[in-house]
Amino acid sequence: MGQDYALSLWPFAFSGDLTQSLDGDDPSTGAMVSWIASSLGSSLTTALSTILLSGLLTVVIGRSIFGAGITIGEAWRRLRPRLWALIAFTVLQALGALLLIGVVVGIIVGVAVAGNGWAAFFIGAPLVFALIIGLVYLAVMLAFTPSAIVLERRDIISAIKRSFSLIKGDFWRVLGIRLLAVLVAQLVAAAVATGGATGVAQEVPGVDPALALARPDLPQVVVPSRSRTNGTT
């Protein structure tokens, strides 16, 4: 998360709009465009790095199951021919989720425009619930698709079929494992972020300890007060 903030703030630093924003002035349109562009760039970088690291980890774990070691270079050579297929599957998965969300939102908006708010609510509530269930189901059933793409050298369609065949009958167990993994990852990330924020609040003057503990995900910018800058107390 820290690299996302760094990538989001660097255009302000080079354009001088960061100092202007810290002084309380409204950021310019160019600064907002730079911030949006850098945010999109950081999100894309994070997504690509996640795909790459997941693929490398899949290769390493696949080799370790058979008791064979593997170096990072060898793992990359094995992953490289399948990297584009892995990226294509990730993009298709994201587009499919966005398409389902767009269909549900379109139906709700259409009903709200044609009818009234209550009709949109009574139709939209079950649709949103069904959408959540559907997205969770598809996420679980497609969980082994990247492994099939990388380890079994399958194309996207056959890898999806392979994932469905492997998870069929073990849906709840796979769902529980994924939820447990997400929970552990979030707990570790929260512990690291809270510990870092507490250390900053204790060691760096000018950082609000309450803000650091309440929102450890926010970057702490230490700005000297105007009175000290002007030499007054």
Side-chain angles (χ1 to χ4, degrees):
M1 185 175 293
Q3 68 272 19
D4 293 341
Y5 287 119
L7 289 173
S8 299
L9 289 176
W10 71 263
F12 291 94
F14 283 103
S15 62
D17 291 308
L18 179 60
T19 304
Q20 180 183 1
S21 299
L22 292 176
D23 289 337
D25 299 332
D26 294 333
S28 63
T29 303
M32 295 303 297
V33 172
S34 299
W35 181 81
I36 294 174
S38 61
S39 297
L40 292 176
S42 63
S43 300
L44 180 61
T45 302
T46 302
L48 292 177
S49 61
T50 301
I51 295 173
L52 177 60
L53 293 176
S54 299
L56 290 174
L57 186 61
T58 300
V59 175
V60 172
I61 293 177
R63 293 283 293 178
S64 64
I65 291 176
F66 299 99
I70 187 173
T71 63
I72 297 297
E74 186 179 354
W76 166 245
R77 286 192 295 271
R78 289 177 176 271
L79 172 64
R80 185 168 54 188
R82 309 303 303 156
L83 183 59
W84 287 112
L86 195 59
I87 293 176
F89 166 73
T90 304
V91 172
L92 290 176
Q93 189 177 21
L95 291 177
L98 290 176
L99 179 61
L100 292 177
I101 294 173
V103 170
V104 172
V105 172
I107 293 175
I108 296 175
V109 172
V111 173
V113 172
N116 54 58
W118 284 109
F121 172 78
F122 285 115
I123 295 178
L127 281 178
V128 171
F129 180 76
L131 174 65
I132 295 174
I133 297 299
L135 291 178
V136 171
Y137 173 80
L138 290 176
V140 174
M141 297 303 293
L142 296 174
F144 291 162
T145 304
S147 300
I149 291 175
V150 175
L151 298 180
E152 299 182 3
R153 308 287 175 174
R154 294 175 177 265
D155 58 81
I156 295 177
I157 301 300
S158 62
I160 291 175
K161 294 179 180 179
R162 176 64 169 165
S163 179
F164 270 79
S165 64
L166 290 174
I167 299 178
K168 185 179 179 180
D170 292 321
F171 174 84
W172 294 109
R173 183 170 64 177
V174 176
L175 175 61
I177 293 174
R178 289 178 67 87
L179 290 177
L180 181 61
V182 171
L183 178 61
V184 172
Q186 292 298 323
L187 289 176
V188 172
V192 172
T194 303
T198 304
V200 170
Q202 292 177 349
E203 299 295 335
V204 180
V207 175
D208 186 2
L211 178 61
L213 290 175
R215 294 296 305 275
D217 57 317
L218 293 178
Q220 298 291 332
V221 180
V222 181
V223 182
S225 62
R226 295 183 182 274
S227 60
R228 293 185 180 180
T229 303
N230 297 330
T232 59
T233 56

